[in-house]
Amino acid sequence: MENKVLKAVEFMQGPLSCSQSVLCAFADDAGISFDDAKKIGAPYSGGRKIKCGTVCAAEIVLQKKFIEDKAEKLIAEFEKKFFSKVGALNCREIRSKNLRPCIGCVEDSATILEQMLA
């Protein structure tokens, strides 16, 4: 598997938001195009959906790649791993407590997702 973590971090350093960066790095796993990933990921950044946008993006990948029951189990596993690493799932909490910078959340989400998909 190519290193999608580096891709996600690179996207975040460019013009993409946190959620778009993770979703675009894993677009092929989700079965969507890069452009569709950009569009789908756009509303999830900056805490607009309460959860960290990178968590939302990873969950979208898992929902699109796996059937409902398996996706639900994998999402719960992903959230547990992310929470264990970062200390929260809520964007505002992560940012207000300075638990992790956004680019760190991109790296963490992409790392966890890459490991889960391996």
Side-chain angles (χ1 to χ4, degrees):
M1 181 184 290
E2 66 186 274
N3 195 335
K4 295 182 180 184
V5 176
L6 292 177
K7 259 189 184 178
V9 169
E10 185 179 300
F11 290 150
M12 181 67 178
Q13 293 169 334
L16 300 181
S17 70
C18 62
S19 53
Q20 289 172 317
S21 295
V22 172
L23 194 52
C24 286
F26 290 88
D28 58 332
D29 293 294
I32 56 177
S33 71
F34 182 89
D35 288 336
D36 285 344
K38 262 176 58 174
K39 289 176 193 166
I40 293 167
Y44 295 94
S45 63
R48 287 184 259 168
K49 300 293 181 180
I50 299 178
K51 276 186 197 172
C52 171
T54 69
V55 172
C56 293
E59 291 177 358
I60 291 167
V61 172
L62 294 170
Q63 287 170 342
K64 291 191 171 289
K65 185 160 179 76
F66 298 100
I67 59 171
E68 190 174 322
D69 290 344
K70 184 166 184 173
E72 286 179 25
K73 289 176 186 171
L74 290 171
I75 287 168
E77 180 184 340
F78 177 90
E79 287 184 356
K80 183 178 177 182
K81 288 179 179 187
F82 186 88
F83 186 88
S84 176
K85 181 140 181 111
V86 177
L89 294 174
N90 180 295
C91 178
R92 289 191 177 105
E93 184 177 356
I94 293 167
R95 290 166 70 176
S96 69
K97 292 181 178 179
N98 292 318
L99 298 175
R100 194 84 166 112
C102 294
I103 198 159
C105 290
V106 167
E107 183 178 5
D108 293 341
S109 286
T111 299
I112 295 165
L113 188 55
E114 189 171 56
Q115 290 168 352
M116 290 178 74
L117 295 175

